[in-house]
Amino acid sequence: MSLIEAKLRPAVEVWSGCVALGAAFIIYMMPNWFMMTESVAYLSAGLLLLLALVRFKESLEVVRYRKRLRRLPYYGMSSKEVPKYGDSLFFGRGFRWGQRHTQRLKDTMNPAVRHYIEDSSPYHWARDFERKHGKHWLIKLTRWNSPLNPVRPLPPIGGNRVLHAVGIDEEKDVFVAGSDRPGNTLVLGTTRQGKSRLAEILLLQDIHRNDGPVILFDPKSDAALLTRMYTAAKQAGREDEFYCFHLGFPEMSARYNAIANFSRITEIATRVSNQLSGEGNSAAFKEFSWRFINVVARALVAIGEKPDYNNILHYVTDIEPLFRRFADYWLPRNADLSWQADVNLFEEEAAIQYKKNPRMAKYQSPRTEALRRYVEGMEASDGVMHGLLGALRYDAEFYSKLVASLIPLLEKVTTGKIGKLLAPDYTDTDDDRAIFDWTQIIRQKGVIYIGLDALQDLEIASVVGNSMFSDLVSTSGTIYKHGYEAGLVGGEEGKLPKIYLHADELNELIGPEFLPMVNKAAGSGVILTGYTQARADLEAAYGDKAMSQVIEGNFNNLIMLRVRDKHTAELMTDQLPEVETTTVMQVSGATDSSNVDSEQDFTSSTQDRVSVVSGPMLDPSALMSLPKGQAFMLVNGGELYKIRIPLPEDDHVSIPETLRQMTEQMQRTYTTGEQWWRGL
């Protein structure tokens, strides 16, 4: 193998090919000129013809390589054309990046060969003409997107187009083995670079695999992503398992209670209070809020009522009704048979006292006073009852200060139609909107789109997203211990599912509950693919650089589209080895002769020196200059691939009327900028 490849040069092979072709023709036509017999002449002509073909092929490779440095071939496919394999995941077309491609990329930076890469003068003239004469008839010809047009415009994808061209001759479909997916995948890239399109490709395959639930968290609400997700579900025959939860369209959304399902009752308080600030003086208020929510949740569960945001807010604001309801439930099971008569007597006494001096009334109802007096006289040891009694003892003004941060949080998720969405009424037979929970989705192998409407209300989107993540972590913990078929008739104990979880705009979703999701939930079958823009997003979400590094360390696969800061690019480049590249140096010189008797006046020399230099396989600047729809992919313990994501081609699939109305409103309401490929 030659030490220097040198493809950025004139295709000199064509001249030797022409000579060999001409010689073959002459020998074949006039063998007597060369004093050859016919058999020898035909053999010689055949060998020369073969040599000509080889040289023409070599020259064609050089020309094609130079041509593709300026323009890559179009690459797109419909959802039906996306490869679907049970044990592999398709990402696009590309090649494995190695030392040769680092060398080729370095060669393109040589000023002597820039004319092979830069656009021609006619191309620049055509673009200048279009800018100056916007309505001229000639513009239709200059913009004609055909190979016959020598000045046709380049697709508006920007970036350094040679990054993929240096390996275009090795391009093939790139797959990742299914055994590598449980290690989690992190996709980084700034806005409008193709993260959503990549998500579509991965979601489509996960849906068609049909071996587990597929969950998408989409904070920014991309209508095209929702439509294509439903399209894939319909093509896979899973449209009956499709759910759509959207905070922006509660009247058309499926319903969900983020705190109704739990393995331990304390999880309810944790999910709600995790949304509160725990820094500085706020830590004490957060701990009190947790304790008080826990008391309310335990009481509700004890009396047979499912906790939700609405009833927690109601009883956080006014604890008396819950105390009375719990006491009426608890006393028949723990008090003497005469408790009702005693409580009625105490109630009459309290009512008389309240009537005489209303200012001395501690509670809104005399019955609360009677029940409290009776229960305290019992000296009961029940933890829930003690918690409720403790809450009753707080002064109203002091208590309001303790829950000052909790009540606004609960009001955010219980106001208007969203309150009914997050606290569904299971007894309302007139509401035909579906109600789901994670256990149901996992057992049913459902396909669910979760739109959090973060563009309109980031605060509520963060609260709901974190609660849903926390609920999913809890469900994963139960599955890890017992399997997802535990409790079903004929269910298999310990059987684990595959849960394909895709989280777009990951930084808007993560909270304290995310760490166990990313580093422990894989044991229960969760396969996480997270999408965000930069490393700084994770740091900002946690407020702690060390914690964000822990999160990064739990993603074994890394895909990086164009990023805007060096710190993010170094997440990939720092994991790559150094490689040796060659540099050709031309050295020339002349030396005068000092010998006056010699006929030689001077000596000259010209040399080409090849030096080997060690350097990084990939520089951060390469990741910061990627064209749209292109990415580097680091998988399987250090294999680096350069890929192109296929552009989408329309699939005409009918969607339900409700979903169609939702997507039309989303297109009018949200401008996400993710449809950058339009018009390419």
Side-chain angles (χ1 to χ4, degrees):
M1 179 179 176
S2 174
L3 186 63
I4 301 176
E5 188 179 37
K7 280 197 171 185
L8 288 178
R9 54 175 176 77
V12 295
E13 293 88 348
V14 69
W15 303 115
S16 58
C18 290
V19 171
L21 181 63
F25 177 77
I26 294 174
I27 290 175
Y28 177 80
M29 297 299 296
M30 292 169 285
N32 55 321
W33 283 23
F34 301 94
M35 294 179 289
M36 294 182 179
T37 63
E38 288 188 357
S39 58
V40 172
Y42 293 160
L43 177 61
S44 300
L47 292 175
L48 287 171
L49 180 60
L50 179 61
L51 174 62
L53 293 177
V54 170
R55 299 302 283 171
F56 284 141
K57 179 178 179 296
E58 292 174 347
S59 66
L60 183 62
E61 290 176 356
V62 173
V63 172
R64 183 183 298 151
Y65 176 76
R66 290 177 356 207
K67 179 181 179 182
R68 288 180 173 176
L69 288 176
R70 292 180 175 174
R71 180 187 294 271
L72 292 173
Y74 173 81
Y75 178 44
M77 62 175 57
S78 66
S79 59
K80 294 181 179 180
E81 297 172 331
V82 174
K84 306 171 186 72
Y85 298 100
D87 58 347
S88 299
L89 188 68
F90 169 77
F91 281 87
R93 289 188 62 81
F95 54 91
R96 185 170 178 180
W97 188 280
Q99 181 276 338
R100 174 168 51 180
H101 308 102
T102 304
Q103 179 68 59
R104 289 179 178 180
L105 182 60
K106 181 180 178 181
D107 292 343
T108 62
M109 301 176 187
N110 186 350
V113 300
R114 292 303 298 177
H115 61 281
Y116 292 119
I117 301 168
E118 294 173 348
D119 298 318
S120 63
S121 297
Y123 177 89
H124 288 293
W125 174 87
R127 304 289 84 79
D128 290 339
F129 182 84
E130 291 168 2
R131 283 190 291 269
K132 295 175 181 178
H133 307 85
K135 297 183 179 180
H136 198 280
W137 63 269
L138 188 58
I139 292 178
K140 291 183 179 180
L141 296 178
T142 60
R143 291 181 177 174
W144 182 32
N145 189 18
S146 169
L148 299 178
N149 180 11
V151 295
R152 60 173 169 162
L154 292 168
I157 59 175
N160 185 2
R161 55 199 177 201
V162 306
L163 283 169
H164 197 84
V166 295
I168 191 68
D169 53 338
E170 307 167 39
E171 191 181 49
K172 61 181 181 180
D173 289 347
V174 176
F175 296 89
V176 170
S179 58
D180 293 329
R181 291 198 68 191
N184 302 322
T185 303
L186 178 61
V187 180
L188 290 168
T190 189
T191 184
R192 290 179 58 85
Q193 297 305 313
K195 294 194 300 297
S196 293
R197 174 54 182 164
L198 179 59
E200 289 180 14
I201 298 292
L202 304 185
L203 282 164
L204 185 148
Q205 296 173 78
D206 289 342
I207 292 171
H208 278 267
R209 199 170 286 111
N210 199 15
D211 58 353
V214 181
I215 305 165
L216 169 66
F217 283 85
D218 183 16
K220 65 178 181 295
S221 301
D222 189 339
L225 194 56
L226 170 58
T227 303
R228 291 184 181 275
M229 194 171 178
Y230 176 81
T231 299
K234 187 169 184 178
Q235 291 174 349
R238 303 177 67 180
E239 65 267 28
D240 293 337
E241 305 161 8
F242 184 84
Y243 294 84
C244 178
F245 174 88
H246 203 298
L247 291 177
F249 306 94
E251 66 282 354
M252 294 182 279
S253 170
R255 294 173 289 168
Y256 167 77
N257 186 348
I259 56 178
N261 297 294
F262 49 85
S263 298
R264 297 177 181 174
I265 189 66
T266 53
E267 294 174 15
I268 297 175
T270 301
R271 292 177 201 173
V272 178
S273 63
N274 270 347
Q275 316 305 322
L276 302 175
S277 174
E279 300 181 357
N281 296 331
S282 300
F285 294 98
K286 180 178 180 179
E287 292 299 322
F288 174 83
S289 297
W290 185 95
R291 176 179 179 274
F292 195 68
I293 296 169
N294 188 52
V295 170
V296 172
R298 291 174 66 188
L300 287 170
V301 172
I303 63 178
E305 184 173 333
K306 280 192 174 184
D308 58 49
Y309 289 120
N310 280 329
N311 55 28
I312 287 180
L313 174 62
H314 173 66
Y315 293 126
V316 163
T317 308
D318 183 8
I319 193 65
E320 280 191 48
L322 181 60
F323 171 73
R324 291 195 298 268
R325 291 182 62 190
F326 183 77
D328 290 337
Y329 161 83
W330 183 81
L331 284 172
R333 292 164 175 78
N334 296 275
D336 298 332
L337 295 176
S338 61
W339 73 271
Q340 287 185 338
D342 294 339
V343 170
N344 291 337
L345 179 61
F346 292 156
E347 185 177 0
E348 291 176 3
E349 294 176 358
I352 294 172
Q353 185 179 9
Y354 282 16
K355 188 174 182 180
K356 287 181 178 179
N357 191 354
R359 294 184 179 180
M360 297 299 293
K362 295 181 179 179
Y363 308 108
Q364 299 173 4
S365 170
R367 185 165 181 81
T368 304
E369 176 72 30
L371 290 169
R372 181 197 62 78
R373 181 178 172 185
Y374 184 85
V375 172
E376 287 181 345
M378 291 178 58
E379 298 182 356
S381 59
D382 186 273
V384 179
M385 182 58 77
H386 271 289
L388 291 171
L389 287 172
L392 284 174
R393 294 189 186 105
Y394 284 111
D395 177 75
E397 184 177 351
F398 178 67
Y399 170 77
S400 63
K401 293 180 180 179
L402 291 176
V403 296
S405 58
L406 176 61
I407 292 177
L409 170 68
L410 293 172
E411 287 180 344
K412 290 175 182 177
V413 292
T414 57
T415 302
K417 296 180 180 179
I418 289 182
K420 296 181 179 180
L421 184 67
L422 299 175
D425 184 358
Y426 295 86
T427 63
D428 186 0
T429 57
D430 295 329
D431 194 340
D432 59 355
R433 292 177 296 171
I435 301 176
F436 69 92
D437 59 58
W438 290 128
T439 302
Q440 169 195 346
I441 292 293
I442 292 170
R443 288 176 175 173
Q444 188 182 354
K445 296 182 181 178
V447 178
I448 180 167
Y449 171 90
I450 300 172
L452 296 176
D453 200 30
L455 295 175
Q456 184 171 355
D457 197 328
L458 178 60
E459 189 70 24
I460 292 180
S462 178
V463 170
V464 176
N466 280 311
S467 297
M468 298 182 86
F469 254 118
S470 184
D471 187 9
L472 185 55
V473 170
S474 173
T475 305
S476 300
T478 303
I479 291 173
Y480 181 74
K481 290 187 290 184
H482 307 293
Y484 74 101
E485 292 184 353
L488 296 178
V489 177
E492 181 180 340
E493 184 73 18
K495 185 176 181 180
L496 298 180
K498 288 185 178 180
I499 305 172
Y500 300 103
L501 175 60
H502 296 258
D504 198 6
E505 303 296 336
L506 187 63
N507 57 296
E508 297 179 7
L509 300 171
I510 59 178
E513 68 286 334
F514 183 73
L515 185 57
M517 167 68 75
V518 75
N519 66 3
K520 296 181 178 67
S524 60
V526 175
I527 299 172
L528 173 64
T529 304
Y531 308 79
T532 190
Q533 296 185 11
R535 298 175 77 179
D537 293 337
L538 301 179
E539 296 176 11
Y542 272 107
D544 185 352
K545 184 176 181 180
M547 184 62 73
S548 69
Q549 291 176 341
V550 171
I551 295 296
E552 294 169 0
N554 283 278
F555 285 97
N556 291 339
N557 302 320
L558 178 62
I559 301 173
M560 195 169 290
L561 295 93
R562 185 196 301 176
V563 295
R564 294 305 306 150
D565 62 281
K566 186 178 180 181
H567 178 57
T568 302
E570 287 174 344
L571 178 61
M572 176 174 283
T573 58
D574 286 350
Q575 301 182 55
L576 301 176
E578 290 193 344
V579 295
E580 292 183 344
T581 56
T582 58
T583 302
V584 179
M585 180 185 301
Q586 290 185 348
V587 180
S588 60
T591 304
D592 294 336
S593 175
S594 59
N595 187 356
V596 295
D597 298 329
S598 174
E599 297 181 357
Q600 181 177 338
D601 295 327
F602 66 92
T603 58
S604 63
S605 65
T606 301
Q607 305 175 13
D608 284 339
R609 294 183 180 177
V610 179
S611 59
V612 179
V613 181
S614 180
M617 177 178 283
L618 197 63
D619 193 80
S621 61
L623 293 163
M624 298 167 66
S625 58
L626 279 167
K628 295 177 183 178
Q630 296 186 22
F632 281 97
M633 190 168 73
L634 188 62
V635 296
N636 196 23
E639 296 181 2
L640 180 65
Y641 291 88
K642 173 67 182 64
I643 64 170
R644 285 197 296 165
I645 303 167
L647 298 176
E649 296 180 351
D650 291 337
D651 295 290
H652 300 286
V653 177
S654 60
I655 61 177
E657 180 63 21
T658 301
L659 195 60
R660 185 188 62 79
Q661 293 177 10
M662 183 185 296
T663 54
E664 288 178 353
Q665 291 186 44
M666 288 169 66
Q667 290 172 344
R668 292 193 299 266
T669 307
Y670 311 120
T671 304
T672 65
E674 290 299 333
Q675 307 301 310
W676 52 265
W677 53 76
R678 297 294 184 187
L680 295 189

